[in-house]
Amino acid sequence: MRDTTCGDCWRIENLTFAQRLDPALVRRGQRHLCEEHRAKREELAA
Ligand SMILES: [Zn+2]
């Protein structure tokens, strides 16, 4: 179940505001994203 959880959604639900800004935690959450967040990442990366 955990492997299919969107990394961004997981961070929003489980981390404090300060932790969400931590690059190490942000990177760890990138392995899987829901369609909404994946589209958002691609927008930012473009
Ligand atoms: Zn998401």
Side-chain angles (χ1 to χ4, degrees):
M1 208 54 157
R2 178 181 274 201
D3 285 344
T4 56
T5 300
C6 165
D8 278 9
C9 291
W10 180 87
R11 287 208 319 280
I12 290 166
E13 286 178 12
N14 292 281
L15 302 183
T16 66
F17 180 76
Q19 282 177 315
R20 276 182 233 160
L21 298 179
D22 186 326
L25 291 169
V26 169
R27 205 153 286 210
R28 191 188 299 178
Q30 277 180 340
R31 59 200 166 174
H32 179 84
L33 297 173
C34 66
E35 286 192 21
E36 183 186 337
H37 279 129
R38 190 164 52 216
K40 210 164 275 186
R41 288 294 175 97
E42 282 171 9
E43 256 177 51
L44 292 173

